[in-house]
Amino acid sequence: MRILGTGSYLPSKVVTNEAIAATLDTTDEWIYAHTGIRSRHVAEEGESTSTMAAKAAEAAMDAAGVTADEIGLIVLATSTPDFAPFPSTACLVQAQLGCTEAGAFDLQAACSGFVYALEQARGFLRFNPGKKALVIGAECLTRILDWTDRSSCILFGDGAGAVVLGDSEMNVNCATTTILGADGKGGRYILRTGGTRESLKENPMTGLPSPAVPSIPRLMLQGHEVFAFAVRKLAKVVEALCERQCITPDALDRVYAHQANRRIIEATARRMKIPLDRFWINLETTANTSSASIPIALDESVRSGELRNGMKIVLAGFGSGLTWGGIYSVWPDF
Ligand code: UT7
């Protein structure tokens, strides 16, 4: 199978580091030096994860030349669903797009979500030949941030990315290979509050007292721990995928890694001894959009004309769970 089209959507409202520094004890210099981020897109009133996802999906369907009734499945990766957690955001998108022939569900694997979702769709298409699947990563993270916590709120932004996956006669010898992984012992390092466990007096993940009534969901992050995990895991995933193909990372044309922090990507490139320019980096203006970051990067790369048929690429994500996932493919086969 292959990716037939890509699309993405970023809200028009942009919030710069300077704007955050006007309300918090931080500076543009600190944020840029520690993260590589200068600004982020923020969903406005009336926008939500489903509306952004639908716009990205429409662009992907246009690019693929596929109509709504051709879509057999919608898998939407998100940690910030419109409703928590049902009806699924994928169902809301199904209705917005008029994909009446499609099954639809959300998938939650945090910032690894898009890679997990792509693998789900590949499995579906294997047993439903002739169908097409929409795979979407979409997030409205700015609605769950604690805007008084300078160590986390500066990191994230909103947006959506999507691909249409379908059959192809081209890739009979397709070399696509996937790694999905998790380490639930690291769950406390990044978590979103507001789930059913919160009715307990003490939150078992944080050890902190919790209200007996559900609170507004908030993202909580132990940045140091996630940073160390990310650098270790990202390099390992990319190297393991290459090993399966009997190639070295240097043979890769492009790596689309989750956009969490420029320093994580730089450290990974150093570890793998490959030039930094093999990595697509766009977080300066998007910040971390979690499950949307990889498909947004992929779409930018496709639309710039820079990603050409036959290029060896890896998509690699890591995040809360802890989770990680990577896919090696020869573009546009998957
Ligand atoms: O997608 C997966 C989720 N992504 C992540 O979890 C991101 C992974 N982690 C990171 O990107 C980095 O760990 C951060 C950007 C979150 C933090 O960068 P750091 O270089 O690890 O900074 P730090 O946590 O070591 O903090 C250094 C200092 C601290 O002050 P003290 O204790 O040394 O006095 C912080 O309080 O910087 C302070 N600090 C800030 N200062 C100005 C933390 N945030 C800020 C800020 N502005 N925004």
Side-chain angles (χ1 to χ4, degrees):
M1 59 205 76
R2 68 189 297 206
I3 289 185
L4 304 172
T6 64
S8 59
Y9 175 78
L10 291 164
S12 53
K13 182 175 177 181
V14 170
V15 172
T16 60
N17 291 346
E18 283 91 352
I20 295 179
T23 65
L24 262 187
D25 181 17
T26 188
T27 60
D28 173 47
E29 291 71 30
W30 191 99
I31 298 171
Y32 186 67
H34 287 250
T35 67
I37 297 165
R38 287 268 190 224
S39 62
R40 70 284 294 139
H41 294 261
V42 174
E44 294 197 79
E45 195 68 31
E47 289 190 304
S48 69
T49 300
S50 76
T51 67
M52 293 188 285
K55 287 196 167 127
E58 262 166 357
M61 285 160 61
D62 270 359
V66 163
T67 53
D69 57 348
E70 290 180 71
I71 302 294
L73 182 73
I74 300 174
V75 191
L76 190 148
T78 188
S79 300
T80 48
D82 278 21
F83 298 97
F86 55 85
S88 73
T89 305
C91 281
L92 303 177
V93 170
Q94 189 251 12
Q96 285 173 53
L97 297 177
C99 295
T100 50
E101 303 303 311
F105 67 95
D106 286 358
L107 183 152
Q108 204 293 105
C111 307
S112 315
F114 183 76
V115 174
Y116 271 67
L118 201 51
E119 187 60 5
Q120 288 282 308
R122 291 178 71 235
F124 167 80
L125 290 176
R126 200 164 296 140
F127 297 106
N128 292 275
K131 301 251 184 197
K132 293 179 176 58
L134 252 179
V135 186
I136 309 171
E139 303 285 1
C140 199
L141 289 152
T142 60
R143 301 243 169 100
I144 62 161
L145 297 177
D146 177 352
W147 286 100
T148 65
D149 175 13
R150 67 179 184 173
S151 65
S152 64
C153 73
I154 52 142
L155 296 173
F156 298 94
D158 301 329
V163 302
V164 176
L165 197 64
D167 278 341
S168 152
E169 285 153 19
M170 275 173 60
N171 61 342
V172 275
N173 298 313
C174 181
T176 301
T177 179
T178 307
I179 291 173
L180 301 181
D183 175 9
K185 288 197 223 72
R188 66 186 178 282
Y189 295 144
I190 327 175
L191 63 90
R192 180 191 158 151
T193 64
T196 51
R197 264 175 106 154
E198 290 219 350
S199 56
L200 300 174
K201 282 262 158 40
E202 190 176 281
N203 185 317
M205 297 297 254
T206 60
L208 299 172
S210 289
V213 290
S215 59
I216 298 169
R218 286 281 172 264
L219 183 146
M220 294 170 69
L221 170 76
Q222 296 181 32
H224 265 292
E225 285 74 5
V226 181
F227 193 99
F229 150 74
V231 173
R232 228 177 27 246
K233 197 48 86 176
L234 194 51
K236 272 206 170 128
V237 166
V238 180
E239 281 165 355
L241 289 169
C242 289
E243 219 173 285
R244 287 190 192 174
Q245 299 297 323
C246 301
I247 58 172
T248 57
D250 192 46
L252 294 174
D253 293 300
R254 196 62 77 234
V255 180
Y256 300 89
H258 169 49
Q259 308 282 306
N261 185 321
R262 187 182 171 91
R263 285 162 52 220
I264 291 175
I265 296 176
E266 287 170 347
T268 304
R270 275 198 302 276
R271 264 184 179 231
M272 296 195 314
K273 300 187 175 58
I274 62 174
L276 187 61
D277 64 12
R278 300 282 171 84
F279 289 79
W280 189 268
I281 304 178
N282 66 353
L283 55 79
E284 185 167 337
T285 54
T286 63
N288 179 346
T289 56
S290 191
S291 67
S293 86
I294 293 173
I296 291 171
L298 194 62
D299 183 50
E300 277 184 7
S301 175
V302 168
R303 284 172 196 271
S304 73
E306 188 267 355
L307 180 55
R308 295 179 303 281
N309 285 4
M311 283 172 80
K312 297 184 182 70
I313 68 165
V314 162
L315 314 183
F318 55 85
S320 175
L322 299 167
T323 56
W324 56 91
I327 299 190
Y328 166 92
S329 92
V330 179
W331 181 260
D333 292 343
F334 265 87

